[in-house]
Amino acid sequence: MIKVEVAPPGGEPVRIEVERGTPIRRALVGLPVPEHPWLMAFSDHHARDLREPLEKDCRLSPRNIADAEGIRAFRRGVRLLLIRAAAELFPELYVYIDHSLSGGFF
């Protein structure tokens, strides 16, 4: 068993114990359900995918689109999905994504 402290933004940290190898998503199950779903989490100051397994004691800080880190992760995921889809459908084209204007995505 490993010890995990889950600290949601604006909430009280919760200490839990989980089996080694438990996906981060499962460690978030006991938290109050946020208005927007969790997209990623920080663990030891590194951004982590919610499917990644927990291997050691840590502090998790989940993020969703309600905060800057969460929206940044969401936008990056959408960009990668767009590039992948364009490459599969139109392999001869080059996709260029420039900076957004006024908080828009592309």
Side-chain angles (χ1 to χ4, degrees), residues 34-100:
E35 181 180 350
H36 304 288
W38 299 121
L39 297 172
M40 49 86 69
F42 283 100
S43 172
D44 301 326
H45 306 289
H46 293 14
R48 304 286 184 207
D49 186 297
L50 297 181
R51 297 171 293 183
E52 287 187 41
L54 293 165
E55 299 296 338
K56 62 180 183 171
D57 294 351
C58 65
R59 177 183 169 96
L60 291 176
S61 183
R63 298 289 191 238
N64 60 22
I65 62 170
D67 56 54
E69 291 94 353
I71 195 69
R72 193 171 24 248
F74 178 75
R75 287 178 175 175
R76 182 168 190 256
V78 169
R79 285 192 302 266
L80 293 173
L81 182 63
L82 173 66
I83 292 168
R84 177 70 184 259
E88 287 183 14
L89 294 172
F90 308 102
E92 70 282 357
L93 296 181
Y94 175 77
V95 176
Y96 179 78
I97 300 175
D98 204 352
H99 297 285
S100 65

Side-chain angles (χ1 to χ4, degrees), residues 6 16 23-32 38 40-41 50 60 62:
V6 183
I16 60 171
I24 292 173
R25 181 178 306 280
R26 278 213 189 135
L28 305 178
V29 169
L31 295 178
W38 299 121
M40 49 86 69
L50 297 181
L60 291 176

